[in-house]
Amino acid sequence: MTTPAPELLSLRDLHVAYRTSEGRLPAVRGVDLVVHEGEVVGVAGESGCGKSTLASTVLRLQPKNARVEGEVEVLGHDVRAMRWGDLRALRWAGASIVFQGALHSLNPVHRIGRQVAEPIRTHEPGLSRDAVDRRVEELLDQVGLSASRARAYPHQLSGGQRQRVMIAMALACRPQLVVADEPTTALDVMVQAQILDLLKDLVHELGVGLLIISHDLSVLADVCDRVLVMYAGRVVESGPAAEVFADPLHPYTAALSGAFPRIGDPAARYAPAGLAGDPPDPRDLPPGCAFAPRCPRAVEECTHGEPPLLQVGGRPVACLRAGSS
């Protein structure tokens, strides 16, 4: 019998809401998520569905007006209960985050090498300068950049190169878990493919766990082992990435999948699918299923109560019509 890989991240019944001047804003509603060692797990959904809020909660990076309920465990530690010093030690060394928009995340007045070296010096203060420099060179080589790039400033690098620097920084202290929040946003398709291949290779080579956030379901299908699809703060479908993309059971997942044309598929080329309307206001969710007002398959029963996650075709799906034509 195969021993299951250790759990690096565990979210149980996670709820996150923001206190605003217009009232309480629920961003994440009852999400369960697990990432094992050597596994890539993706979270997909439109803007506003709660993906980035979920990512920030992993290392307690949410703003002060956020109220968090549920369990958040990273490497077996209860993140919500950790003291500041322990949490600071866990960040970078135990788990790290690759933020979207590398140009805005990197310091424009510091050279790349200094920025990659900063977390190493912080978490391994006993290392000599030469040892830190060698580690920086190793990290840049690991992400496909030459050592000479360490002397460059962020504005002297391309978008793809800056994103590689962000990944190098995330790996600087050899974390066991990496969270990538929209790591390929604003990159062209060729560079996007290179970054995704790099992430996949690093997961396999280093044995880390990766949680990747994206609005692009096709991206996640290519790189992930499992995918969770979120809508209005809830998971509405999850399962093996290839199955979720190729055979979606929830109408929202089908809309996300259909939004990206498949190469060699004339039907997708000449009649790309779309989804009318916008996600609901979290402060004023519709009765019943939050997706019902936009769903082409909705019936009266869909407005009577929010559907629970039930097993349909071996996958958890929150839809009363799942599996029906």
Side-chain angles (χ1 to χ4, degrees):
M1 182 175 179
T2 304
T3 303
E7 288 187 5
L8 303 180
L9 171 64
S10 176
L11 307 178
R12 307 288 184 191
D13 194 26
L14 179 66
H15 293 258
V16 183
Y18 297 104
R19 297 185 299 273
T20 72
S21 58
E22 299 179 1
R24 181 176 178 274
L25 190 156
V28 174
R29 303 185 296 131
V31 169
D32 295 326
L33 183 152
V34 174
V35 179
H36 295 92
E37 183 180 291
E39 183 181 36
V40 184
V41 177
V43 179
E46 293 172 286
S47 296
C49 73
K51 307 186 303 299
S52 292
T53 291
L54 186 147
S56 68
T57 305
V58 171
L59 287 176
R60 218 163 81 191
L61 295 172
Q62 65 274 6
K64 292 182 179 179
N65 68 330
R67 179 181 177 85
V68 181
E69 298 176 353
E71 297 180 13
V72 182
E73 288 193 0
V74 176
L75 310 184
H77 300 287
D78 182 353
V79 171
R80 295 187 58 206
M82 293 180 78
R83 295 180 300 178
W84 167 245
D86 295 331
L87 180 62
R88 185 172 182 268
L90 179 67
R91 293 172 177 170
W92 291 101
S96 60
I97 293 185
V98 179
F99 295 103
Q100 60 177 308
L103 185 61
H104 303 294
S105 299
L106 295 171
N107 192 319
V109 300
H110 289 165
R111 297 182 190 273
I112 291 303
R114 177 177 176 179
Q115 299 189 59
V116 176
E118 182 177 358
I120 302 173
R121 294 196 176 100
T122 299
H123 289 273
E124 300 180 56
L127 287 182
S128 66
R129 179 174 180 176
D130 287 343
V132 172
D133 289 344
R134 286 195 298 271
R135 176 66 179 150
V136 169
E137 290 183 9
E138 291 172 3
L139 287 163
L140 293 178
D141 179 68
Q142 206 167 37
V143 298
L145 293 175
S146 68
S148 63
R149 296 287 81 189
R151 298 189 295 273
Y153 289 95
H155 72 273
Q156 295 175 311
L157 303 181
S158 68
Q161 290 174 326
R162 287 192 292 265
Q163 201 64 45
R164 289 171 185 266
V165 171
M166 292 293 294
I167 295 171
M169 291 174 65
L171 298 173
C173 297
R174 301 179 177 89
Q176 294 174 259
L177 173 70
V178 176
V179 179
D181 186 7
E182 297 277 9
T184 58
T185 297
L187 300 178
D188 64 66
V189 292
M190 295 300 294
V191 176
Q192 176 176 281
Q194 294 170 8
I195 296 298
L196 292 174
D197 286 341
L198 171 63
L199 288 171
K200 284 192 295 185
D201 291 343
L202 290 173
V203 168
H204 295 144
E205 290 173 10
L206 305 178
V208 302
L210 174 64
L211 176 66
I212 181 169
I213 310 293
S214 179
H215 63 278
D216 189 336
L217 188 58
S218 63
V219 163
L220 299 181
D222 185 54
V223 72
C224 295
D225 300 304
R226 292 186 294 113
V227 166
L228 291 80
V229 178
M230 290 184 66
Y231 186 81
R234 291 188 69 210
V235 173
V236 296
E237 181 173 355
S238 65
E243 291 183 18
V244 171
F245 183 64
D247 183 27
L249 298 176
H250 195 285
Y252 178 63
T253 309
L256 287 181
S257 177
F260 301 96
R262 293 167 173 78
I263 296 175
D265 183 352
R269 178 181 178 184
Y270 294 110
L275 184 59
D278 298 306
D281 185 337
R283 302 181 190 87
D284 186 26
L285 294 174
C289 176
F291 185 62
R294 306 173 70 191
C295 181
R297 298 168 58 191
V299 295
E300 177 65 24
E301 187 180 0
C302 297
T303 63
H304 294 169
E306 197 161 44
L309 276 170
L310 299 175
Q311 290 290 326
V312 179
R315 303 207 302 265
V317 183
C319 179
L320 299 177
R321 306 292 310 282
S324 64
S325 57

